[in-house]
Amino acid sequence: MPTSVPKAPGRSSGGRANIPAGGGLVDPGQLLRALPDALRKLNPAKMWRNPVMFIVEVGAAFTTVLAVLDPSWFAWAIVLWLWLTVVFANLAEAVAEGRGKAQAATLRAARRDTTARRLRDSADRTRWDVVGAAELRQGDHVIVEAGEVVPADGDVIDGIASVDESAITGESAPVIRESGGDRSAVTGGTRVLSDRIIVEVTQRPGDSFVDRMIALVEGADRQKTPNEIALNILLAALTIIFLIATATMQPLAIYAKSANPGVPDSLALTADGVTGVVLISLIVCLIPTTIGALLSAIGIAGMDRLVQRNVLAMSGRAVEAAGDVSTLLLDKTGTITLGNRQAGAFVPVAGVTEEELAGAAQLSSLADETPEGRSIVIYAKERYGLRERAPGELAHAEWVPFTAQTRMSGVNVDGREVRKGAATAVMKWVRDGGGHPTDEVGHLVDGISASGGTPLVVAERGRVLGVIHLKDVVKEGMRERFDEMRRMGIRTVMITGDNPLTARAIAEEAGVDDYLAEATPEDKLALIRQEQAGGRLVAMTGDGTNDAPALAQSDVGVAMNTGTSAAKEAGNMVDLESNPTKLIEIVEIGKQLLITRGALTTFSIANDVAKYFAIIPAMFAAVYPGLDRLNIMRLASPQSAILSAVVFNAIIIVALIPLALRGVRYRPSSAARLLGRNLYLYGLGGMIVPFIGIKLIDLLIQFLPGMS
């Protein structure tokens, strides 16, 4: 169970409050390149998946027939702009998909048809067959040496090598892949730079990591998310309501003309009621075409923003879930802290000098190649002037490596036995050697742990010399990031294998809400289930096989690309850069997606209401003079009002494409404040913009034929 940490006050610097504008503005070249795809999407077999725009297309086709039967300048102008409305709607989606196709082209360049040396028998590594990469199957073992391309996704089961993954991640720095750890996964298409490894193929034929990336960024596998489906249902319902409302205008118009026979007929209003062209124009202007046109592009752009940050989302559902996350599980090492603990002090027990402790600590660490071990040697050299002796100078020394069972390491040399390691393990070793550690050692260990450090006890056979204080440095700006998460309503939980005292100190310094100390895979899974049972969505990162159950259980599971194949299969996102702090950015991108969708929906609905009040008074003011008071824009004529609204309805879609692709700028805030901001900025803006836009268009077209 996590232990609550008091929320320390802190001010946000705001340095990372706003997500960078992913995607940038749309240039005319992008629109032109996407135009052929937009025209191909006019196929009704594709259009019916978007009910709102399908109705617009049907209306445009029907209006075309009416214009052919009864041609007029007004009718053909309406036909032109109705078709442009459908094309512009398809253009938004085509531009979003075009960016994905450009990324897919880069990935295809990385996918190569290579040959592989497949072992005939996994037990005999001297005999192999040369086969094409396409012939490899799950479970096959292949040999890859320096200069060769990894033929398929898999796990290193023998050897260690430096691998160039720039074709996948874009990072030029090579990475190390080795057997037996959490950095064993290799990706097909990457190149081995040094040494020799044996890889066990884990991919299914035709289902490599690169293949899945290509399908995802192209949008071929994109499925509508639950929120997107719900919004589509809402838009369909609004469309039906507006269809019914528009249909009632026909009998109303007939009655109005019969009650006012002195009013002359117009292109909009005749004795037979509203003309077919005008009726269809009203339907198109009043149904939520703006958000219907942009909804798909918003979802595609959300995944695109993740890909730009080298994060592969396996589904749009994962991106959307990231926006609704309320609990964030973060590993301490490498995420909240720098990861490499450094020696910061030597604390001797009574009767031992600091120099004596420093000499023993350095001696026990000469063969320790871990960052912590190297820092002890360097600290002793720089602080106390001790000469660093290479292990080769102690050829007769017996080095004792660290193991998970003993939890200590050291050296036996010149009749001395020196050990350093976990307090309980070293003190037991001292007791077994006939020594009697004092309570002072326990107090020193507890003090260092309480301060957020990691204590390593140093001892010789029979006596304790003191404690090394390893400092775990919290990354700069983490407290501000967690303050932002808190303002977003997200609870942060630090996961660590440290003891509770150390975990608590780091948690307080970093500013997380809770922590889980001495965590095991079972503890992580139990915590996730506990959070989900309370109705919260959970996100976490992981890279090892032991993280796979928790990644699979999480609503948003981000696997590191450097991790095992099991972890990448269990998660629903893969971070190609293997940066654990990327999880915070993923949550921000998810929230930006939801806010963008909500903002443009608010704008679209407000738009429709404004167009209603712009058109109806202009149409019926002649037969109902009282409505003229609502014609605040003083449009030139009913025909001008209708055409202006249709033109504005098409143009506003193109104008909003950059915002849909870039996303509404996100600022950490409560749900109530975000709702208020949306209603004020996009609701009020959606009411005002149509009045301005329609009036300007009316001023431009009122002198055209048939507009007076």
Side-chain angles (χ1 to χ4, degrees):
M1 294 286 292
T3 305
S4 177
V5 176
K7 296 179 178 64
R11 295 181 302 169
S12 172
S13 65
R16 297 197 55 90
N18 299 324
I19 301 174
L25 296 175
V26 179
D27 61 74
Q30 284 180 307
L31 296 176
L32 290 175
R33 288 190 297 271
L35 188 57
D37 286 335
L39 294 175
R40 281 190 287 270
K41 288 178 181 290
L42 292 174
N43 183 350
K46 297 180 179 180
M47 287 295 297
W48 73 268
R49 294 184 177 88
N50 187 338
V52 176
M53 299 315 301
F54 181 67
I55 288 177
V56 177
E57 184 177 41
V58 171
F62 188 56
T63 308
T64 304
V65 174
L66 294 178
V68 171
L69 297 176
D70 185 15
S72 68
W73 194 95
F74 174 75
W76 282 112
I78 293 293
V79 167
L80 172 65
W81 284 100
L82 288 183
W83 280 113
L84 285 177
T85 301
V86 183
V87 172
F88 291 163
N90 290 341
L91 195 62
E93 186 174 355
V95 170
E97 290 178 349
R99 294 183 175 189
K101 289 177 180 178
Q103 293 163 345
T106 303
L107 292 170
R108 282 195 176 92
R111 186 176 58 183
R112 312 168 193 176
D113 293 328
T114 60
T115 57
R117 287 182 289 167
R118 182 174 60 188
L119 292 176
R120 297 178 182 176
D121 183 353
S122 59
D124 183 0
R125 297 177 178 176
T126 62
R127 303 175 64 194
W128 63 77
D129 296 318
V130 178
V131 299
E135 299 179 44
L136 296 175
R137 297 294 182 266
Q138 281 182 303
D140 287 347
H141 292 179
V142 296
I143 301 173
V144 190
E145 295 185 341
E148 297 179 350
V149 174
V150 177
D153 298 350
D155 289 327
V156 178
I157 59 172
D158 184 68
I160 181 173
S162 175
V163 179
D164 176 12
E165 294 186 339
S166 59
I168 306 298
T169 65
E171 296 293 332
S172 58
V175 295
I176 301 299
R177 293 290 178 266
E178 59 185 328
S179 62
D182 290 341
R183 296 179 179 270
S184 60
V186 289
T187 305
T190 58
R191 181 180 294 277
V192 173
L193 300 179
S194 67
D195 303 294
R196 175 180 184 269
I197 54 177
I198 296 177
V199 177
E200 179 177 354
V201 177
T202 58
Q203 77 176 53
R204 294 177 291 274
D207 190 29
S208 71
F209 188 64
V210 174
D211 288 328
R212 282 183 290 156
M213 286 180 68
I214 291 172
L216 287 163
V217 299
E218 280 187 326
D221 285 352
R222 198 184 92 84
Q223 297 178 340
K224 292 185 184 297
T225 63
N227 282 352
E228 200 171 343
I229 293 171
L231 186 54
N232 267 317
I233 294 172
L234 173 63
L235 297 181
L238 289 175
T239 300
I240 294 172
I241 292 172
F242 280 119
L243 281 171
I244 295 172
T246 306
T248 62
M249 293 182 188
Q250 182 71 344
L252 176 63
I254 295 173
Y255 172 77
K257 285 292 293 181
S258 64
N260 300 273
V263 177
D265 290 348
S266 68
L267 290 176
L269 207 58
T270 69
D272 295 326
V274 181
T275 62
V277 172
V278 172
L279 204 59
I280 293 172
S281 300
L282 289 174
I283 292 172
V284 171
C285 288
L286 298 182
I287 64 176
T289 51
T290 306
I291 186 60
L294 299 173
L295 186 58
S296 180
I298 293 170
I300 295 172
M303 296 186 71
D304 175 63
R305 282 193 289 275
L306 278 179
V307 173
Q308 288 175 4
R309 288 162 175 77
N310 272 346
V311 177
L312 176 63
M314 299 305 180
S315 68
R317 183 189 296 264
V319 186
E320 192 172 90
D324 284 329
V325 160
S326 52
T327 301
L328 223 57
L329 305 186
L330 299 162
D331 188 54
K332 184 204 75 171
T333 306
T335 303
I336 295 174
T337 64
L338 293 176
N340 295 336
R341 294 171 295 183
Q342 304 292 313
F346 294 135
V347 185
V349 298
V352 177
T353 65
E354 288 189 26
E355 288 75 9
E356 184 181 0
L357 172 60
Q362 185 189 62
L363 182 64
S364 66
S365 303
L366 289 176
D368 187 349
E369 295 299 327
T370 65
E372 291 86 352
R374 301 312 303 159
S375 75
I376 292 170
V377 173
I378 293 172
Y379 185 78
K381 176 183 178 182
E382 293 178 349
R383 181 68 182 269
Y384 300 99
L386 299 178
R387 184 179 68 86
E388 179 182 347
R389 293 179 292 174
E393 297 181 36
L394 304 171
H396 57 290
E398 178 188 352
W399 301 102
V400 180
F402 176 87
T403 67
Q405 289 73 33
T406 63
R407 295 199 299 158
M408 60 182 181
S409 61
V411 62
N412 300 331
V413 60
D414 298 334
R416 299 178 65 189
E417 297 181 28
V418 183
R419 299 289 186 273
K420 77 170 191 303
T424 53
V426 174
M427 291 169 72
K428 180 180 183 300
W429 178 77
V430 170
R431 292 190 187 95
D432 292 344
H436 301 283
T438 65
D439 293 339
E440 181 187 5
V441 179
H443 294 316
L444 293 177
V445 169
D446 290 343
I448 292 173
S449 297
S451 69
T454 300
L456 290 181
V457 175
V458 181
E460 286 191 89
R461 175 64 72 176
R463 69 177 184 136
V464 174
L465 300 177
V467 184
I468 304 171
H469 184 173
L470 295 179
K471 294 182 178 180
D472 214 347
V473 182
V474 174
K475 290 182 178 179
E476 185 178 355
M478 291 308 295
R479 174 174 286 277
E480 288 75 14
R481 297 292 296 275
F482 292 136
D483 286 342
E484 291 173 9
M485 295 292 107
R486 199 169 294 115
R487 286 196 298 275
M488 293 157 56
I490 296 175
R491 177 170 168 265
T492 52
V493 181
M494 183 184 77
I495 308 294
T496 178
D498 288 339
N499 64 71
L501 284 175
T502 301
R504 179 180 177 82
I506 294 294
E508 288 179 336
E509 182 180 353
V512 297
D513 297 310
D514 296 321
Y515 64 87
L516 183 66
E518 299 178 342
T520 64
E522 294 76 16
D523 294 334
K524 296 178 185 179
L525 191 59
L527 176 59
I528 292 171
R529 288 173 174 166
Q530 175 188 324
E531 292 291 319
Q532 291 172 333
R536 291 178 285 271
L537 296 187
V538 180
M540 74 160 288
T541 60
D543 59 1
T545 301
N546 62 345
D547 291 324
L551 286 171
Q553 182 68 35
S554 300
D555 300 285
V556 179
V558 183
M560 302 294 102
N561 192 44
T562 56
T564 62
S565 297
K568 289 193 282 189
E569 288 291 332
N572 50 22
M573 291 189 185
V574 177
D575 178 14
L576 302 180
E577 294 177 356
S578 300
N579 176 9
T581 60
K582 191 73 68 67
L583 180 58
I584 298 175
E585 290 184 42
I586 291 170
V587 170
E588 291 175 344
I589 292 171
K591 286 193 173 293
Q592 186 186 35
L593 169 65
L594 296 180
I595 290 170
T596 301
R597 187 184 294 158
L600 292 182
T601 301
T602 303
F603 185 90
S604 178
I605 295 174
N607 234 353
D608 297 332
V609 174
K611 285 181 286 187
Y612 184 90
F613 283 102
I615 299 172
I616 302 303
M619 282 184 59
F620 288 93
V623 292
Y624 294 113
L627 287 176
D628 194 54
R629 296 177 182 176
L630 296 178
N631 186 15
I632 59 176
M633 288 186 288
R634 298 299 166 187
L635 301 177
S637 66
Q639 293 81 12
S640 174
I642 293 166
L643 183 57
S644 298
V646 170
V647 173
F648 174 83
N649 195 62
I651 291 175
I652 195 65
I653 293 173
V654 179
L656 290 175
I657 289 177
L659 182 60
L661 299 184
R662 186 179 66 247
V664 174
R665 187 172 293 277
Y666 171 68
R667 295 179 179 85
S669 183
S670 66
R673 291 189 63 183
L674 288 174
L675 177 61
R677 178 174 174 266
N678 268 4
L679 291 176
Y680 176 75
L681 184 59
Y682 295 97
L684 185 60
M687 289 288 290
I688 295 173
V689 170
F691 283 91
I692 299 173
I694 292 173
K695 180 59 179 178
L696 291 175
I697 296 171
D698 175 74
L699 292 174
L700 293 174
I701 70 173
Q702 61 181 315
F703 301 108
L704 295 176
M707 292 297 106
S708 58

